[in-house]
């Protein structure tokens, strides 16, 4: 009895020690490790990752009421007659001159790509903590300087500050925040189920490891000079790559400043700034860049004719490409939409934001007949009230800014005229606009065109301008048919009171992205982005955007338990060269197949027996 008591006390004593150890040491240690390595919010254990304040000057040109000299025709253009090797930057809203930039030469491109490749060699070893800190530093700078950054974008693209705050700043902050929160998980090795057969499955573990490609590139469009440029930089750097961005010749001035901002952040964190390079040249000189053997990946955002050239020259080095072209995005308005007023607000924002220069802007409103007239009436009233101008210089309230250039005005006017000639009703706009304060600025009237049908060019060709096009459909099926009838398949929306019906429509749309009862939010929430049909191929953004910039390396290995016991994969004697006995070798492998893949138990037993006898 006494002995047992003693033993019992012993156990109690050990139990107390263990509990104390667990509560006092293991739990705090786990908590520390969790805070240090597994949470993405900065705290006292991982403050290494916190944002660092940047010193980066705002250019005078972005200050309100900046007095820059205005260009006058025929000099209001990025390509001057005098100097074919330079790009002239100017503000499309006011035509104020912003600077002249020498096109990147071939020799410079070689050097930039070489420097980027060198910098990437150490960057690819960097920790996610450092990468997150870099993104946090950028995010903090953007948050603290929203006004000024918006003005830089407005000055170079002619959009309004509100357009910039939504389309440039908000989406960029979301991309930064999302990447910090979820990027690491997306890039962690992905464990796979391994071989399905019992025999091999018992032996092997399998996983995919995402390794940076090296130097990637992005050829980006001008419509969102901050966001389009920073998006690929964020994903490239976070996945351990270096990046060479080719910006559009329309927005060199702001692109240079935005890349300077990234360089300032890299310098501040003592990371080699060669990781991020900017090139610019005229499209016809871009072949050298897209055919460059130093690039391991190209993301192209732009138009179809240019995409043909990019793919052609990229094919010389078999450089993989993600291609994002235009769209003819539709909004389907179902017959049971309850609040047409609220819907009209979304249609207005989706069409006139950035003067309609949006890859995923609303190009077609396809409205079912019973709500058509009411919707047209509301839109008619609202579009007529839109005011044009440049709000970084003008004190009056404005709704819509300038377009990037006037070189597509003829075509947009022609599309409107073609539709009117074929029976469409033009309720507002339809032509270029002479702004009293900025007569040389590139303004186009906010346009409302209704009763459009598929016989008209505007129903099929991308406008990329401030034209709200409304089409009538007899019923929901016809609306879907109209929506799918064009060659593009980038983004769509469907609005209706009954979710199930909207969901059915979403499933029938030939499209890369669909928003149900919303517009374009699929872009904001960092889903993989890209179109189908003639809108391009491949995805950028989100998890696929990160892993798409990596070599997905498939790795197979022996299970840890087998490694511990020194069990190794070996070629069994019956099938080892030279084959001693052909019949036996055949018997061995065929039994292995039966043992692995046959469901009939007696067959499996028999083949195990045969295997044990070496196939005999
Ligand atoms: C993202 O933003 C939210 C809201 O400000 C913030 O609480 C969160 O910590 C941010 N996430 C990361 C990963 O920084
Ligand atoms: C297109 O609209 C015009 C004018 O309303 C009409 O004459 C024509 O029949 C319509 N075509 C189709 C295919 O609906």
């Amino acid at each position: 009895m006494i002995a047992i008591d003693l033993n019992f006390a012993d156990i109690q004593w050990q139990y107390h020690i263990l509990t104390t150890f667990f509560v006092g040491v293991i739990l705090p240690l786990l908590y520390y490790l969790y805070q240090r390595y597994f949470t993405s919010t900065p705290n006292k254990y991982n403050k290494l990752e916190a944002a660092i304040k940047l010193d980066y000057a705002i250019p005078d040109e972005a200050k309100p009421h900046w007095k820059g000299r205005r260009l006058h025709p025929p000099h209001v253009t990025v390509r001057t007659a005098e100097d074919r090797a330079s790009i002239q930057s100017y503000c499309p809203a006011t035509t104020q001159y912003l600077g002249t930039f020498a096109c990147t030469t071939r020799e410079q491109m070689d050097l930039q790509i070489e420097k980027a490749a060198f910098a990437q060699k150490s960057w690819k070893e960097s920790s996610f903590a450092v990468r997150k800190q870099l993104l946090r530093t950028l995010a903090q700078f953007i948050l603290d300087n929203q006004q000024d950054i918006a003005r830089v974008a407005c000055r170079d693209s002619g959009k309004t500050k509100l357009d910039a705050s939504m389309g440039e700043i908000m989406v960029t902050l979301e991309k930064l925040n999302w990447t910090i929160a979820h990027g690491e998980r997306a890039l962690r090795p992905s464990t796979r189920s391994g071989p399905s057969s019992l025999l091999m499955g018992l032996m092997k573990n399998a996983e995919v490891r995402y390794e940076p490609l090296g130097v990637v590139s992005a050829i980006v469009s001008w419509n969102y000079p901050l966001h389009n440029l920073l998006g690929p930089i964020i994903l490239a750097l976070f996945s351990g790559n270096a990046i060479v961005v080719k910006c559009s010749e329309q927005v060199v001035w702001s692109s240079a400043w935005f890349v300077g901002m990234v360089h300032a952040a890299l310098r501040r964190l003592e990371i080699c700034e060669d990781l991020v390079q900017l090139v610019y040249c005229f499209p016809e000189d871009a072949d050298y860049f897209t055919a460059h053997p130093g690039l391991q990946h190209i993301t192209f955002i732009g138009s179809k004719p240019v995409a043909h050239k990019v793919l052609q020259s990229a094919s010389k080095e078999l450089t993989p490409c993600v291609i994002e072209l235009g769209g003819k995005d539709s909004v389907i308005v179902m017959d049971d939409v309850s609040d047409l007023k609220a819907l009209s607000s979304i249609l207005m924002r989706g069409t006139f934001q950035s003067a309609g220069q949006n890859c995923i802007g609303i190009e077609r409103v396809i409205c079912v007949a019973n709500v058509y007239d009411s919707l047209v009436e509301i839109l008619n009233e609202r579009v007529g009230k839109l005011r044009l101008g440049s709000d970084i210089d003008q004190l009056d309230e404005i709704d819509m800014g300038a377009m990037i250039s006037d070189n597509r005005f003829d075509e947009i006017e022609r599309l409107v005229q073609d539709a009117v000639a074929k029976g469409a009703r033009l309720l507002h706009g339809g032509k270029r606009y002479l702004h009293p304060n900025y007569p040389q600025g590139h303004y186009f009237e906010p346009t409302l065109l209704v009763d459009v049908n598929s016989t008209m060019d505007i129903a099929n060709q991308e406008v990329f301008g401030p034209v709200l096009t409304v089409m009538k459909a007899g019923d929901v099926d016809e609306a879907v048919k109209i929506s799918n009838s064009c060659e593009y398949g980038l983004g769509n929306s469907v609005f209706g009171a009954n979710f199930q019906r909207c969901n059915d429509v979403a499933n029938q749309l030939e499209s890369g992205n669909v928003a149900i009862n919303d517009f374009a939010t699929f872009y904001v929430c960092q889903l993989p982005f890209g179109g189908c049909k003639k809108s391009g191929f491949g995805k950028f953004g989100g998890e696929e955007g990160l892993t798409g910039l990596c070599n997905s390396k498939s790795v197979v290995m022996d299970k840890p338990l087998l490694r511990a016991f020194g069990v190794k994969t070996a070629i069994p004697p019956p099938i080892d060269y030279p084959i001693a006995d052909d019949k036996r070798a055949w018997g061995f492998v065929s039994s292995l197949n039966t043992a692995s893949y046959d469901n009939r138990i007696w067959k499996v037993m028999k083949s195990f027996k045969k295997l044990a006898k070496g196939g005999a």
Side-chain angles (χ1 to χ4, degrees):
M1 275 320 269
I2 289 166
I4 289 166
D5 264 340
L6 251 178
N7 257 343
F8 195 65
D10 260 5
I11 290 164
Q12 285 253 338
W13 179 75
Q14 284 162 348
Y15 176 77
H16 279 303
I17 291 268
L18 268 177
T19 315
T20 315
F21 181 67
F22 186 73
V23 174
V25 181
I26 300 285
L27 271 189
L29 186 70
L30 285 177
Y31 180 74
Y32 168 77
L33 290 175
Y34 175 76
Q35 292 292 340
R36 180 71 186 81
Y37 296 105
F38 295 101
T39 71
S40 41
T41 32
N43 58 52
K44 63 180 171 173
Y45 302 108
N46 68 2
K47 51 178 160 323
L48 253 184
E49 295 180 25
I52 299 185
K53 216 170 148 48
L54 283 190
D55 234 357
Y56 186 56
I58 308 299
D60 283 345
E61 292 87 335
K63 310 252 163 81
H65 313 299
W66 168 66
K67 300 274 178 283
R69 82 177 155 91
R70 288 191 191 184
L71 299 173
H72 294 280
H75 304 291
V76 190
T77 163
V78 290
R79 197 193 291 257
T80 62
E82 308 86 63
D83 182 0
R84 308 292 295 173
S86 294
I87 296 165
Q88 173 175 267
S89 287
Y90 66 94
C91 173
T94 63
T95 71
Q96 284 163 298
Y97 172 75
L98 293 171
T100 299
F101 298 81
C103 292
T104 315
T105 63
R106 295 179 170 203
E107 293 71 32
Q108 283 168 333
M109 286 178 192
D110 289 344
L111 192 67
Q112 283 175 303
I113 293 171
E114 192 185 315
K115 280 180 166 177
F118 187 76
Q120 194 265 343
K121 284 195 198 321
S122 47
W123 178 246
K124 70 170 186 237
E125 311 292 348
S126 63
S127 67
F128 281 114
V130 169
R131 297 180 196 178
K132 284 178 198 170
Q133 186 180 29
L134 173 65
L135 300 197
R136 279 210 184 86
T137 299
L138 280 170
Q140 198 59 54
F141 182 78
I142 295 172
L143 263 177
D144 293 345
N145 297 277
Q146 288 191 50
Q147 281 258 10
D148 293 320
I149 289 172
R151 285 204 185 98
V152 173
C154 294
R155 186 58 86 194
D156 214 5
S157 65
K159 67 181 61 171
T160 67
K161 251 168 43 198
L162 181 63
D163 288 346
S165 79
M166 297 176 74
E168 307 266 26
I169 298 192
M170 189 197 288
V171 284
T172 303
L173 287 173
E174 174 56 35
K175 192 174 283 286
L176 285 161
N177 196 316
W178 183 91
T179 309
I180 295 164
H182 305 293
E184 182 177 349
R185 200 197 49 213
L187 289 169
R188 262 189 222 140
S190 150
T191 307
R192 301 300 165 98
S193 50
S196 68
S197 86
L198 184 67
L199 289 178
M200 286 241 282
L202 281 175
M203 306 273 297
K204 301 292 180 188
N205 275 356
E207 67 182 34
V208 180
R209 296 177 188 165
Y210 300 103
E211 298 178 351
L213 289 172
V215 181
V216 299
S217 79
I219 300 172
V220 296
S221 56
W222 42 259
N223 51 342
Y224 289 94
L226 170 73
H227 171 262
N228 289 1
L229 183 89
L230 230 56
I233 293 178
I234 293 166
L235 295 185
L237 292 182
F238 198 80
S239 53
N241 291 288
I243 183 165
V244 187
V245 189
K246 184 188 164 297
C247 70
S248 157
E249 68 276 15
Q250 304 286 352
V251 289
V252 176
W253 174 76
S254 58
S255 301
W257 190 79
F258 292 134
V259 166
M261 172 181 86
V262 178
H263 282 165
L266 289 167
R267 270 199 308 277
R268 191 69 184 74
L269 272 74
E270 296 176 2
I271 302 163
C272 180
E273 60 187 273
D274 289 343
L275 273 179
V276 178
Q277 303 281 347
L278 178 68
V279 308
Y280 34 80
C281 59
F282 290 112
E284 61 271 22
D285 302 325
D287 287 357
Y288 184 77
F289 180 68
T290 44
H292 205 287
L295 301 178
Q296 275 83 51
H297 188 276
I298 297 175
T299 302
F300 172 76
I301 306 171
S303 69
K304 217 163 94 190
V306 184
H308 284 289
K309 294 190 70 183
V310 169
L311 285 169
Q312 218 165 36
S313 43
S315 72
K316 288 182 190 137
E317 291 292 330
L318 299 177
T319 310
C321 295
V322 165
I323 298 289
E324 203 259 283
L325 309 176
K328 191 71 196 164
D329 289 9
S330 72
V331 169
I332 293 181
V333 181
M334 309 273 273
D335 44 23
D336 60 354
V337 168
S338 49
D339 191 348
L340 286 175
K341 180 83 200 324
L343 173 64
S344 72
S345 298
I346 295 176
L347 299 179
M348 300 278 291
R349 171 61 45 198
T351 304
F352 297 112
Q353 155 136 338
S354 285
Q357 304 166 107
N358 306 294
C359 320
I360 43 172
I362 298 174
E363 292 263 336
R364 295 175 295 166
V365 175
I366 305 169
C367 184
V368 173
N370 68 327
V371 285
Y372 184 86
D373 291 336
S374 322
L375 182 64
V376 166
E377 195 178 313
I378 296 173
L379 292 174
N380 189 15
E381 198 201 319
R382 299 190 68 174
V383 175
K385 291 183 182 155
L386 293 179
R387 299 151 299 178
L388 282 169
S390 163
D391 67 353
I392 51 174
D393 296 290
Q394 195 170 327
L395 294 174
D396 314 335
E397 303 291 336
I398 65 155
D399 302 298
M400 200 178 93
M403 295 185 70
I404 195 76
S405 81
D406 55 6
N407 63 13
R408 288 185 50 258
F409 283 2
D410 287 346
E411 175 61 8
I412 301 177
E413 285 172 354
R414 187 197 69 77
L415 287 170
V416 172
Q417 287 316 315
D418 169 79
V420 170
K422 291 176 183 163
R425 279 186 297 147
L426 177 64
L427 300 183
H428 291 286
K431 56 184 192 305
R432 65 198 76 195
Y433 173 69
L434 196 73
H435 196 289
N437 301 353
Y438 315 107
Q440 269 81 46
H442 307 315
Y443 295 93
F444 199 92
E445 291 178 350
T447 299
L448 177 60
L449 193 62
V450 306
D451 297 353
V452 170
N453 70 25
S454 54
T455 59
M456 304 163 190
D457 291 349
I458 203 163
N460 303 300
Q461 290 178 26
E462 186 175 32
V463 176
F464 220 69
V467 181
L468 182 45
T469 300
V470 191
M471 305 173 79
K472 191 193 282 185
D475 56 19
V476 172
D477 286 342
E478 194 192 335
V480 171
K481 221 167 108 192
I482 295 172
S483 181
N484 286 342
S485 69
C486 77
E487 62 173 356
Y488 294 108
L490 189 57
N492 301 83
S493 303
V494 48
F495 286 86
N498 182 322
F499 174 78
Q500 203 47 53
R501 287 176 70 218
C502 291
N503 204 37
D504 288 345
V505 169
N507 288 337
Q508 293 172 56
L509 291 171
E510 297 163 359
S511 173
N513 311 274
V514 178
I516 298 173
N517 281 318
D518 205 345
F519 159 71
T521 30
F522 43 76
Y523 191 80
V524 186
C525 55
Q526 309 303 316
L527 286 167
F529 182 78
C532 63
K533 303 208 284 188
K534 295 293 185 288
S535 289
F537 48 82
K539 300 278 181 178
F540 64 84
E543 294 179 22
E544 285 80 354
L546 284 167
T547 55
L549 298 178
C550 294
N551 168 30
S552 304
K553 184 184 274 180
S554 299
V555 179
V556 67
M557 65 211 109
D558 292 328
K559 287 211 183 280
L561 194 66
L562 297 185
R563 290 205 303 269
F565 285 101
V567 180
K568 292 197 181 75
T569 306
I571 302 287
I575 56 173
D576 198 12
Y577 290 124
I579 307 295
D581 178 342
D582 206 32
K583 201 163 153 257
R584 210 181 151 116
W586 170 261
F588 185 83
V589 181
S590 60
S591 308
L592 193 62
N593 288 340
T594 307
S596 302
Y597 303 109
D598 204 314
N599 281 329
R600 291 163 298 183
I601 197 81
W602 76 92
K603 286 266 191 189
V604 174
M605 300 300 274
K606 253 174 80 181
S607 49
F608 268 119
K609 209 170 117 198
K610 199 159 177 181
L611 280 175
K613 291 194 292 183

